[in-house]
Amino acid sequence: ELDLPPPSSAAGKRAARRVKRDVDSAESGGVRITPTFFINGRRYDGPWDDASFSDALQGALGYRVRAAALDFMNWTPSSGILLLAATLLALLLSNTALAPAFAALWQKELGLSWDGRGFALPLIRWVNDGLLTIFFLVVGLEIKREFAIGRLSTRRLAALPVAAALGGMAVPAAVYLAVIPQGPWTHGWGVPTTTDTAFAVALIVMLGRRVPVELRVFLTAAAIVDDLGSIVIVALFYSKGLDVMYVGLAIALTLVLVVLNRSGVYRAMPYAVTGVALWAAVHASGLHATLSGVVLAMLIPTRPPPNLKALKAQAGTILDAEMSRGAEALRRGPARPALEAIDAIASRLESPAARTLRAIEPWSSFLVLPLFALANAGIAWSTNALDGREPLALAIALGLCVGKPIGILGGSALAAALRVAQKPDAYTWRQLGGASLLAGIGFTMSLFIAGVSFPDAGDLAAAKLAVFGGSIVAAACGVALLWSPRRGPRESGEYAARGAAQEGTPV
């Protein structure tokens, strides 16, 4: 039995209000049933058995650590905050007596060797070419999900953010090329065309009810399309000389993935093994290795929706049979065939693509991106860092904090004027302008493209400074514009209530 407060007590009333807020939030998000209750002031989402309840009620250390970790991970701004912390740490270490050792760490080669042969890369290349492939795999899976069942699944849903994202890539590139003098720097036009989704979404969520939920959805969808554009830009314009043999091998491995997909192979292992081989082939071919993550994401299969009624009946039959074993089942647990059947039922509840995304997305957000920032954001500050490179820094900064918002706002306005898309009444054009400014936070992908655009260390340092400066200006202006928005004609009623119900929920 649970030691719950009586409904008439103050604690009981607070719990009832929390449950009601949870139900309202679920209903606004389309969830029909949300069985939930609170233990010691925290919503309980664990298994409904005596041992698990006991851990939660007694506040066992393992339960508290897990609950705190899940709370942090489920808080939408958490990935942006961790990314910021890694960036600040990189800047700190790069401007102290530890700077030489910190720089040397990332150049240390790691690899494998056998029979006098081997494969080794500097640690920074393992991060940028290896670990970042996981990020691109996540991006590819998110794009696939959004175009299949998400915010981009219909023409009407996709038109406005797609038009905004296209404008948000074209205009910054044009601004950069208009400012930069002719020469080797022109190759860096892709640096200001990207949006850092983690930072932009974190800021817009932290603004709370000042930002309508619909505007959060717009910015997230536009950022997803922007990520797709970044992948295309890297693949087409920032790959080195191609090795035909390895390109052919990469194509052959891609065909293997196609055959696995078409043959209805839903196990993860064949895709994982082929994906690793594809990464090696793409890396050796001269194309950027992260492209393999996107190819793998596109070919990890989806499945038709499960028959939940049939699966529920199957699971119930299995558990009833196990319970009939009495004391033996309680002492030794379910039999192996029963556990395998339950595993099969659980795996059928979601498609392989959705399951892969759920499994690796936390690793991308909380390990890969912070490590990338730690490896790439370090720069030694000096008064002469921009000497002779002022046009480069100006072109990147203007592309981010001027070109990006103009492109997103202009693309949206053009799509609305041509009646290709319609701006929701839930937010004003002024608020859309604020979100467009937040999209000028380039950071992760901007640093990535800068790293492959500028082989000269001085040029790269200037580009990093410009990315930091342009992103900070864009973020500050976007927050200022959204801080006290003018209410649109429909923001005070239904939309304000929906924003209140969903405040703090992930987008």
Side-chain angles (χ1 to χ4, degrees), residues 415-427:
L418 295 176
R419 299 185 183 277
V420 175
Q422 181 178 1
K423 181 188 76 63
D425 293 333
Y427 53 85

PDB file of all heavy atoms in Angstrom, residues 415-427:
ATOM      1  N   ALA A 415       7.041  33.206 -48.825  1.00  0.00           N
ATOM      2  CA  ALA A 415       6.149  32.052 -48.913  1.00  0.00           C
ATOM      3  C   ALA A 415       4.717  32.432 -48.570  1.00  0.00           C
ATOM      4  O   ALA A 415       3.761  31.959 -49.201  1.00  0.00           O
ATOM      5  CB  ALA A 415       6.633  30.945 -47.978  1.00  0.00           C
ATOM      6  N   ALA A 416       4.551  33.322 -47.569  1.00  0.00           N
ATOM      7  CA  ALA A 416       3.211  33.766 -47.201  1.00  0.00           C
ATOM      8  C   ALA A 416       2.604  34.636 -48.296  1.00  0.00           C
ATOM      9  O   ALA A 416       1.408  34.524 -48.610  1.00  0.00           O
ATOM     10  CB  ALA A 416       3.258  34.525 -45.882  1.00  0.00           C
ATOM     11  N   ALA A 417       3.421  35.526 -48.906  1.00  0.00           N
ATOM     12  CA  ALA A 417       2.920  36.410 -49.961  1.00  0.00           C
ATOM     13  C   ALA A 417       2.499  35.627 -51.201  1.00  0.00           C
ATOM     14  O   ALA A 417       1.521  35.979 -51.870  1.00  0.00           O
ATOM     15  CB  ALA A 417       3.991  37.435 -50.330  1.00  0.00           C
ATOM     16  N   LEU A 418       3.235  34.556 -51.502  1.00  0.00           N
ATOM     17  CA  LEU A 418       2.899  33.726 -52.660  1.00  0.00           C
ATOM     18  C   LEU A 418       1.809  32.706 -52.339  1.00  0.00           C
ATOM     19  O   LEU A 418       1.459  31.894 -53.191  1.00  0.00           O
ATOM     20  CB  LEU A 418       4.153  32.998 -53.145  1.00  0.00           C
ATOM     21  CG  LEU A 418       5.283  33.884 -53.692  1.00  0.00           C
ATOM     22  CD1 LEU A 418       6.497  33.032 -54.047  1.00  0.00           C
ATOM     23  CD2 LEU A 418       4.807  34.678 -54.915  1.00  0.00           C
ATOM     24  N   ARG A 419       1.325  32.724 -51.099  1.00  0.00           N
ATOM     25  CA  ARG A 419       0.286  31.805 -50.625  1.00  0.00           C
ATOM     26  C   ARG A 419       0.741  30.338 -50.683  1.00  0.00           C
ATOM     27  O   ARG A 419      -0.079  29.425 -50.758  1.00  0.00           O
ATOM     28  CB  ARG A 419      -1.016  31.987 -51.419  1.00  0.00           C
ATOM     29  CG  ARG A 419      -1.610  33.387 -51.281  1.00  0.00           C
ATOM     30  CD  ARG A 419      -2.960  33.492 -51.978  1.00  0.00           C
ATOM     31  NE  ARG A 419      -3.494  34.835 -51.901  1.00  0.00           N
ATOM     32  CZ  ARG A 419      -4.162  35.315 -50.845  1.00  0.00           C
ATOM     33  NH1 ARG A 419      -4.376  34.532 -49.797  1.00  0.00           N
ATOM     34  NH2 ARG A 419      -4.624  36.558 -50.846  1.00  0.00           N
ATOM     35  N   VAL A 420       2.041  30.140 -50.653  1.00  0.00           N
ATOM     36  CA  VAL A 420       2.571  28.786 -50.550  1.00  0.00           C
ATOM     37  C   VAL A 420       2.419  28.279 -49.114  1.00  0.00           C
ATOM     38  O   VAL A 420       2.237  27.090 -48.871  1.00  0.00           O
ATOM     39  CB  VAL A 420       4.057  28.760 -50.979  1.00  0.00           C
ATOM     40  CG1 VAL A 420       4.668  27.374 -50.748  1.00  0.00           C
ATOM     41  CG2 VAL A 420       4.185  29.160 -52.441  1.00  0.00           C
ATOM     42  N   ALA A 421       2.508  29.208 -48.170  1.00  0.00           N
ATOM     43  CA  ALA A 421       2.390  28.874 -46.756  1.00  0.00           C
ATOM     44  C   ALA A 421       1.608  29.977 -46.059  1.00  0.00           C
ATOM     45  O   ALA A 421       1.405  31.062 -46.607  1.00  0.00           O
ATOM     46  CB  ALA A 421       3.770  28.719 -46.120  1.00  0.00           C
ATOM     47  N   GLN A 422       1.178  29.687 -44.846  1.00  0.00           N
ATOM     48  CA  GLN A 422       0.445  30.665 -44.052  1.00  0.00           C
ATOM     49  C   GLN A 422       1.036  30.725 -42.653  1.00  0.00           C
ATOM     50  O   GLN A 422       1.226  29.692 -42.005  1.00  0.00           O
ATOM     51  CB  GLN A 422      -1.036  30.287 -43.963  1.00  0.00           C
ATOM     52  CG  GLN A 422      -1.869  31.293 -43.166  1.00  0.00           C
ATOM     53  CD  GLN A 422      -3.337  30.921 -43.135  1.00  0.00           C
ATOM     54  OE1 GLN A 422      -3.726  29.906 -43.693  1.00  0.00           O
ATOM     55  NE2 GLN A 422      -4.143  31.745 -42.473  1.00  0.00           N
ATOM     56  N   LYS A 423       1.345  31.947 -42.205  1.00  0.00           N
ATOM     57  CA  LYS A 423       1.870  32.115 -40.856  1.00  0.00           C
ATOM     58  C   LYS A 423       0.743  31.934 -39.849  1.00  0.00           C
ATOM     59  O   LYS A 423      -0.322  32.527 -39.983  1.00  0.00           O
ATOM     60  CB  LYS A 423       2.485  33.512 -40.690  1.00  0.00           C
ATOM     61  CG  LYS A 423       3.085  33.733 -39.304  1.00  0.00           C
ATOM     62  CD  LYS A 423       3.499  35.167 -39.114  1.00  0.00           C
ATOM     63  CE  LYS A 423       2.307  36.069 -38.880  1.00  0.00           C
ATOM     64  NZ  LYS A 423       1.576  35.737 -37.624  1.00  0.00           N
ATOM     65  N   PRO A 424       0.947  31.097 -38.827  1.00  0.00           N
ATOM     66  CA  PRO A 424      -0.096  30.944 -37.800  1.00  0.00           C
ATOM     67  C   PRO A 424      -0.379  32.275 -37.098  1.00  0.00           C
ATOM     68  O   PRO A 424       0.512  33.112 -36.921  1.00  0.00           O
ATOM     69  CB  PRO A 424       0.520  29.930 -36.830  1.00  0.00           C
ATOM     70  CG  PRO A 424       1.539  29.196 -37.636  1.00  0.00           C
ATOM     71  CD  PRO A 424       2.085  30.193 -38.605  1.00  0.00           C
ATOM     72  N   ASP A 425      -1.620  32.461 -36.689  1.00  0.00           N
ATOM     73  CA  ASP A 425      -1.995  33.677 -35.967  1.00  0.00           C
ATOM     74  C   ASP A 425      -1.457  33.697 -34.543  1.00  0.00           C
ATOM     75  O   ASP A 425      -1.522  34.724 -33.870  1.00  0.00           O
ATOM     76  CB  ASP A 425      -3.527  33.800 -35.917  1.00  0.00           C
ATOM     77  CG  ASP A 425      -4.125  34.048 -37.291  1.00  0.00           C
ATOM     78  OD1 ASP A 425      -3.417  34.623 -38.150  1.00  0.00           O
ATOM     79  OD2 ASP A 425      -5.286  33.648 -37.517  1.00  0.00           O
ATOM     80  N   ALA A 426      -0.929  32.560 -34.067  1.00  0.00           N
ATOM     81  CA  ALA A 426      -0.493  32.467 -32.674  1.00  0.00           C
ATOM     82  C   ALA A 426       0.698  33.353 -32.376  1.00  0.00           C
ATOM     83  O   ALA A 426       0.939  33.690 -31.214  1.00  0.00           O
ATOM     84  CB  ALA A 426      -0.158  31.018 -32.328  1.00  0.00           C
ATOM     85  N   TYR A 427       1.479  33.736 -33.388  1.00  0.00           N
ATOM     86  CA  TYR A 427       2.616  34.624 -33.149  1.00  0.00           C
ATOM     87  C   TYR A 427       2.656  35.704 -34.221  1.00  0.00           C
ATOM     88  O   TYR A 427       2.147  35.545 -35.329  1.00  0.00           O
ATOM     89  CB  TYR A 427       3.944  33.857 -33.099  1.00  0.00           C
ATOM     90  CG  TYR A 427       4.227  32.959 -34.286  1.00  0.00           C
ATOM     91  CD1 TYR A 427       4.807  33.456 -35.453  1.00  0.00           C
ATOM     92  CD2 TYR A 427       3.939  31.599 -34.233  1.00  0.00           C
ATOM     93  CE1 TYR A 427       5.089  32.624 -36.517  1.00  0.00           C
ATOM     94  CE2 TYR A 427       4.211  30.764 -35.291  1.00  0.00           C
ATOM     95  CZ  TYR A 427       4.789  31.281 -36.445  1.00  0.00           C
ATOM     96  OH  TYR A 427       5.059  30.457 -37.510  1.00  0.00           O
TER      97      TYR A 427
END
